[in-house]
Amino acid sequence: MKIIGYIALFFALLLTSCNPKNGSDSADRDPSMQFADSLLSQLSLEEKVGQMTNLSLMALAEGEFWDRRDTVILDPEKMKLYLDSFKVGSIQNLGTYPFSPAEWRQNIGLIQDYVAENTRHKIPVLYGIDAVHGANYSAGSTLFPHQIGIAASRSRKVASEIGRITSYEMRASGIHWNYAPVLDVTKEPLWGRTFETFGEDTYIASELGLAMIKGGGSDSLLSPYSGLACLKHFIGYGAPHNGKDRAAVYLPQRIVLQDYLPPFQKAIENGALTIMVSSNSLNGVASHADKSMLTDLLKKELGFKGFVISDWNDIDNLVKTHQVAKDEREAVKISVNAGLDMCMEPYDASFAEHLLDLVDDGEVSINRINDAVRRILYVKHKMGLFDQIQSDPIIYPLYGSDEFAEIAKQMAIESITLLKNENESLPLRRSETILLTGAGSNSINSLNGAWSRTWSGQDTTFNDKQKLTLKGALEAKVGKDKVRWTQGSDYDVAVNIKKAVQMAAGVDRVVIALSELPSTEKPSDIDELDFPECQIELVKQLSKTGKPITLILLEGRPRLIEEIEPLVESIVLAYLPGNEGGLAIAEILYGDANPSGKLPFTYPKYSGAIWSYDHAKADARDKGFGFEAYDPQYKFGHGLSYTNFSYSNLILNGDSFTYTDTVQVSVMVKNTGAVKGKEVVELYVSDLFASIVPKNRSLKGFKKIEIEPNDSTEVNFYLAKNDFEFVNSELENIVESGEFKLAIDTHKIKLYFHP
Ligand code: BGC
C-alpha cells in the first residue's frame, strides 16, 4: 500500500491550500474544504469527471459483467482503461458472493496501489458497499436484524450498536463507505423494501437513523473503526403509488416535507456527508432530474455540504424507464445540471464520456463540475482517505467474534414482537414436545433475508455453517428429543403437509414458522399481501389436529394472517432477525428473554384496508358514523410482554405554554407482573384544531426502559415548538396556537399552546 505517497501528497496540498484565494469561499476555513479547493485547482477536466464516476467492481474484473463468480480477478486491461484513462474515483459493491476481509483488502488494495502508481494526483478511490444489516458482503461478518427490526426495538442503543459493529467489520474489510441507512418512510406494506426501512413513522426513522449513523462513527470519521454513511433514497422512494419497487410516487409537496424529509434533514444537520438519489419519480419529476430537490432544497436550503450519488444505473433510467431524456447524453446533462455529483454507472464509463462532451459543448458548466468535484474531494478528505486508506488488519480482533454474535442476538431479542399470547401459551414449557415445521423453520436464509452474503439472500451456498436455524436453536435449547421437525411447506409450494399433520399427533404443541422468500428491489414485488396459499394451508391443516399452535413470522413486511390468526394461540413476529435470529427466537419462546418489540408499522387485516396510524380522522369514519374504522390486525406500536405494565400520573409542567417554553411530560410506569421486562413508553401529540386537516396523532417521543417486578420508573419527555409544527399549504413549517392532546398508553392530557 502506498500510504507514504498519500501522506506526502496530503502535506503538499495542505501547504498549497494555505492561500485563501484557492478557495471557492475564502471565508470557509474548514481544512477539508481548503484541501479540496487546492486539489481541485490542479485537476484536469478528465480527472474531475473521473472523480464523479462510480463504477462497479465487476466492471474491473475478468469475464463478463454478469458472470456468476466464485472468484474475482482484477483485469489489468480494465484497470488501465477505467482507473488510468477514465480516472474513475469511486468503485462499489459485490453481491454475487462474499469476500473474506483479506480478499476485500487485497482487491481494494490493488485498486488503490494502481491509482497511486499510475495517476498524477494519486487520489484514493472511495469504495462503497451496501452493508445494510452488518457488513453483509464480508464472509463471516456479524449479521444483525434488518432495519425494520431495529425500528421495532425502539432502541437508540440497538441502532447505535449495529452502526458501530457494522462500521468496525466494514473497515476490517478495508471499506469506508456504506450505502446505509435507509431513511425512507414507508406506509405501503406491499413494498418489498419495507424491511430495509424503519417503518411507517417519521420520528422513529429520524431518531434511529441518526443513532445508527452516529454509532457508525460519523462524529469521528478519522478513526479506523468509523464508516461514512450514505443516506438513501432521496426522496419519497417508500411511497410507490402501486406498492411496486421503483414505481411512480405521487405525494403532495407538503407531505414530502412534513413526513418524508425529516429523517434526511436530521442526519444532514448532524453532518451526514453523502446521499443517494431514489430511483423513482416524484409527482412526475424523475428524482435524478429534480433540480428543485437536489439543488434548491438539499444543497441550498438544507445546506448539505457533502455529495449526491445516483442509484444504480439511474441516469440510463432517465431514458429507458422515466422517458424524460431522449438519450444517455441528455440524461447525463439533465442529472448533473439538477445537482447530481457522482454517478453510479455500474457497467462502464459512458457517463464520463458524455459529461466530457457536454462540458466541451458548454451544456454543463465547469462551475457545476467544480462544485461536484469539490464536494467529493471534501468528503474524501474529511473521512481521512488521503492519509489512511487501509488500517492494520490486526486492529480488528473482534471481527465475526462470539462477542459480536452475542450482541447481535440481544439486538434481535429487543426487536422481536409478541403479537398474540392467549392462554399464556408462551413461554413454552421445556417438558413439552413440539413439532416444528414451516418454510422458515430450518432456514438461515429466512432469518437473514436479502443483502446477506448475496444480493438476493436466496443462495444457501454462502450461509455461515456454524450458525443455527430455528430448528438448530430450539434443539440446542431443549434437546433434540423435544423437537420433532418436518418441512411442511416451502415458500411457495407445499412439501409434506400430510406428514406434518401425522407428526402433530405425537406432540404437545405445534410451532409453525411462516416465511417470506428472501428478496429485495424488483424481485421483491408481490401482487397480494397474503402469505402464499401453501403456507396458510399448513396452518389450517395443523389447526384441525386440535394441538395448540404458536406461529413465528419471518417477514420483512406485514403479510396478511387474518384467516389463520384465530387458529393459533400465540404469534411471534421476528421480522428478519439475522444470523442469531434462531437463538433469539428460542430465548423468547422459552422465556429466557422477555419480548419488548413494538410494531413499527400498522399490521393490516385486509388487503383493502391499508392504513398508517397517523391517518386523518376522516379516514377512521366507520359505517355507523363513529370513528372506529381503524381496526387493523394489530395497531402500530402493539407488542406484548411476559409481564404487565401500568401507567399513572401523566402530568405536565403547566397547562398553557408559549412557543419558547419547554413542555415537560412525565408519567409513572410500573411493572405489575412477575418478571423483569422492558417497556417502550411512547408519547403521541394530536393537534385538535388546525388550518389544515391535522393528523390523528403523531409520535413525538419514545423511551425504552427496563423495570423489575413491582418497581416503578418515572419517564420524562421534553417537547419544544417544533414538536407541535406541521407544514402548511404555503410549504412553511408552522405551529398554530390552540389546544393539543398528549397521550401515553391510554392516558391523555390537554395543553394550550400560544405565541
Ligand atoms: C439500490 C440501492 C443500492 C444500490 C447499490 C440499488 O439498486 O436501490 O439501495 O444501494 O443498488 O447496490
Side-chain angles (χ1 to χ4, degrees):
M1 192 51 44
K2 301 289 179 285
I3 295 180
I4 294 180
Y6 288 116
I7 293 175
L9 175 78
F10 168 70
F11 283 115
L13 289 167
L14 204 61
L15 286 177
T16 57
S17 69
C18 290
N19 178 0
K21 285 191 193 127
N22 285 331
S24 63
D25 173 8
S26 56
D28 196 333
R29 307 306 299 164
D30 182 334
S32 293
M33 195 54 90
Q34 290 184 36
F35 176 91
D37 270 325
S38 174
L39 180 50
L40 179 68
S41 68
Q42 301 170 44
L43 300 188
S44 67
L45 179 60
E46 286 74 14
E47 286 163 334
K48 290 177 183 174
V49 165
Q51 287 300 308
M52 295 173 69
T53 309
N54 168 286
L55 193 72
S56 171
L57 184 65
M58 275 98 88
L60 291 182
E62 284 182 2
E64 294 301 312
F65 190 94
W66 287 118
D67 278 356
R68 202 191 140 78
R69 297 160 202 274
D70 49 19
T71 180
V72 163
I73 299 170
L74 295 177
D75 181 331
E77 285 306 306
K78 291 180 183 171
M79 300 258 277
K80 187 169 170 22
L81 175 68
Y82 291 121
L83 300 176
D84 190 358
S85 307
F86 282 110
K87 302 167 195 339
V88 166
S90 181
I91 310 286
Q92 61 128 1
N93 258 303
L94 189 73
T96 46
Y97 81 101
F99 285 179
S100 67
E103 248 172 311
W104 272 122
R105 285 174 163 269
Q106 193 200 350
N107 280 309
I108 296 176
L110 286 171
I111 293 171
Q112 302 290 23
D113 281 352
Y114 188 92
V115 168
E117 281 159 16
N118 296 287
T119 66
R120 206 161 60 113
H121 295 288
K122 312 177 191 314
I123 303 171
V125 160
L126 177 55
Y127 200 96
I129 201 154
D130 295 280
V132 301
H133 71 132
N136 39 251
Y137 287 162
S138 292
S141 68
T142 312
L143 292 183
F144 295 95
H146 276 280
Q147 267 185 226
I148 197 70
I150 302 177
S153 80
R154 300 287 203 277
S155 166
R156 294 167 183 87
K157 179 89 194 325
V158 166
S160 161
E161 277 294 88
I162 293 180
R164 176 179 74 86
I165 297 172
T166 301
S167 287
Y168 180 107
E169 297 196 339
M170 216 172 70
R171 291 298 299 270
S173 310
I175 300 172
H176 291 71
W177 189 23
N178 189 0
Y179 298 156
V182 173
L183 296 181
D184 301 307
V185 169
T186 185
K187 297 168 191 288
E188 172 47 88
L190 274 171
W191 187 42
R193 299 190 76 176
T194 297
F195 72 99
E196 295 175 54
T197 75
F198 291 114
E200 76 183 40
D201 182 65
T202 306
Y203 179 73
I204 292 179
S206 307
E207 290 292 303
L208 297 184
L210 183 61
M212 208 167 165
I213 293 165
K214 284 198 175 258
S218 62
D219 290 338
S220 53
L221 281 175
L222 299 181
S223 153
Y225 302 106
S226 294
L228 173 71
C230 182
L231 322 177
K232 66 188 192 184
H233 309 77
F234 195 71
I235 186 171
Y237 186 40
H241 79 106
N242 61 1
K244 302 287 196 285
D245 189 51
R246 288 168 156 78
V249 173
Y250 303 103
L251 286 173
Q253 185 69 357
R254 57 169 290 271
I255 297 295
V256 173
L257 300 180
Q258 177 180 281
D259 294 350
Y260 291 81
L261 182 65
F264 292 95
Q265 187 170 354
K266 184 147 200 164
I268 290 165
E269 283 166 4
N270 281 278
L273 287 173
T274 73
I275 193 164
M276 190 186 292
V277 186
S278 61
S279 291
N280 56 278
S281 62
L282 175 63
N283 302 323
V285 182
S287 296
H288 284 78
D290 198 340
K291 189 169 186 202
S292 70
M293 295 308 255
L294 301 183
T295 298
D296 300 344
L297 176 66
L298 181 62
K299 293 180 176 173
K300 292 193 179 150
E301 219 176 305
L302 301 185
F304 176 63
K305 285 173 91 176
F307 70 83
V308 177
I309 182 172
S310 77
D311 201 345
W312 183 277
N313 204 31
D314 269 328
I315 298 252
D316 276 8
N317 282 328
L318 292 181
V319 185
K320 293 177 190 146
T321 306
H322 296 300
Q323 300 176 288
V324 295
K326 67 174 184 300
D327 54 28
E328 203 190 321
R329 185 180 183 281
E330 192 181 52
V332 172
K333 173 179 158 183
I334 292 174
S335 198
V336 173
N337 283 337
L340 187 82
D341 301 314
M342 186 184 278
C343 174
M344 192 190 291
E345 170 78 84
Y347 312 113
D348 55 37
S350 52
F351 164 80
E353 285 175 311
H354 290 307
L355 192 51
L356 287 169
D357 194 43
L358 286 160
V359 179
D360 276 352
D361 289 354
E363 293 175 63
V364 172
S365 74
I366 191 67
N367 285 345
R368 177 69 270 277
I369 300 291
N370 285 343
D371 171 55
V373 180
R374 182 181 297 112
R375 287 167 180 274
I376 293 165
L377 297 175
Y378 170 74
V379 173
K380 284 189 174 183
H381 186 264
K382 197 95 188 150
M383 61 190 290
L385 202 59
F386 286 91
D387 50 350
Q388 195 194 69
I389 306 168
Q390 282 200 13
S391 34
D392 193 334
I394 62 163
I395 67 170
Y396 305 98
L398 293 177
Y399 179 92
S401 62
D402 290 349
E403 184 179 323
F404 283 175
E406 176 61 26
I407 296 175
K409 185 183 80 183
Q410 293 304 330
M411 311 281 108
I413 286 172
E414 297 254 358
S415 71
I416 290 172
T417 308
L418 179 60
L419 295 177
K420 178 177 182 180
N421 196 13
E422 262 177 15
N423 310 325
E424 294 193 341
S425 83
L426 295 180
L428 301 176
R429 284 154 281 276
R430 282 163 205 256
S431 54
E432 287 180 343
T433 303
I434 62 167
L435 167 69
L436 175 68
T437 185
S441 60
N442 195 22
S443 162
I444 288 287
N445 302 68
S446 289
L447 299 171
N448 280 321
W451 305 106
S452 302
R453 310 307 182 216
T454 62
W455 172 65
S456 81
Q458 290 170 12
D459 200 328
T460 56
T461 324
F462 307 109
N463 290 343
D464 303 335
K465 304 290 175 267
Q466 77 285 14
K467 297 296 171 190
L468 298 179
T469 64
L470 181 55
K471 173 175 177 278
L474 292 177
E475 288 173 350
K477 182 152 288 288
V478 292
K480 284 194 172 171
D481 56 323
K482 292 282 181 256
V483 184
R484 314 262 164 85
W485 176 81
T486 190
Q487 180 70 41
S489 167
D490 211 334
Y491 301 112
D492 298 313
V493 284
V495 177
N496 53 357
I497 295 182
K498 268 194 189 145
K499 182 169 177 204
V501 169
Q502 282 159 9
M503 286 174 74
V507 300
D508 301 304
R509 168 171 296 275
V510 175
V511 177
I512 310 173
L514 303 190
S515 171
E516 284 198 283
L517 175 70
S519 59
T520 181
E521 303 190 46
K522 286 315 291 178
S524 68
D525 282 354
I526 50 175
D527 291 330
E528 51 192 9
L529 206 44
D530 311 65
F531 263 105
E533 189 50 42
C534 57
Q535 299 202 45
I536 296 291
E537 194 54 28
L538 177 67
V539 181
K540 282 187 184 164
Q541 292 303 328
L542 282 166
S543 76
K544 290 185 190 156
T545 65
K547 299 286 171 169
I549 297 177
T550 296
L551 205 59
I552 314 288
L553 302 174
L554 292 166
E555 58 185 11
R557 57 193 146 190
R559 304 298 291 261
L560 301 185
I561 51 169
E562 188 262 335
E563 224 184 325
I564 52 174
E565 193 270 348
L567 309 180
V568 305
E569 273 191 342
S570 42
I571 305 178
V572 174
L573 172 54
Y575 311 94
L576 297 168
N579 249 348
E580 315 305 321
L583 290 169
I585 297 168
E587 293 217 358
I588 298 263
L589 287 184
Y590 284 96
D592 295 332
N594 192 351
S596 61
K598 301 281 175 191
L599 279 179
F601 42 62
T602 299
Y603 206 117
K605 198 185 275 179
Y606 309 107
S607 57
I610 304 295
W611 311 75
S612 62
Y613 81 92
D614 59 354
H615 53 266
K617 189 175 177 187
D619 296 2
R621 244 317 183 206
D622 58 48
K623 290 178 185 166
F625 302 102
F627 290 97
E628 302 297 325
Y630 178 62
D631 180 31
Q633 190 76 58
Y634 300 108
K635 290 185 177 167
F636 173 85
H638 172 73
L640 304 170
S641 163
Y642 294 151
T643 189
N644 293 308
F645 297 98
S646 74
Y647 286 73
S648 61
N649 280 5
L650 174 60
I651 48 171
L652 305 179
N653 57 332
D655 51 16
S656 177
F657 299 87
T658 69
Y659 293 168
T660 52
D661 288 338
T662 298
V663 181
Q664 182 181 352
V665 189
S666 53
V667 71
M668 287 301 288
V669 188
K670 182 172 184 191
N671 182 343
T672 56
V675 291
K676 184 164 79 171
K678 288 188 177 169
E679 171 70 336
V680 176
V681 183
E682 294 192 327
L683 169 66
Y684 291 90
V685 173
S686 305
D687 192 345
L688 297 183
F689 172 77
S691 57
I692 208 156
V693 175
K695 289 168 177 237
N696 160 62
R697 50 175 18 199
S698 304
L699 185 67
K700 292 296 176 188
F702 60 84
K703 275 191 184 159
K704 192 163 196 175
I705 50 168
E706 185 165 31
I707 323 182
E708 296 286 341
N710 280 318
D711 271 4
S712 299
T713 304
E714 184 180 282
V715 176
N716 287 288
F717 295 99
Y718 300 90
L719 299 179
K721 178 169 168 267
N722 62 308
D723 292 307
F724 298 89
E725 281 175 352
F726 63 91
V727 175
N728 70 5
S729 40
E730 275 73 52
L731 305 182
E732 301 155 337
N733 253 314
I734 60 157
V735 60
E736 289 176 343
S737 60
E739 257 191 333
F740 291 81
K741 185 176 73 187
L742 305 186
I744 295 183
D745 192 54
T746 53
H747 299 258
K748 297 181 178 108
I749 196 164
K750 283 188 185 168
L751 65 88
Y752 192 77
F753 211 54
H754 58 92

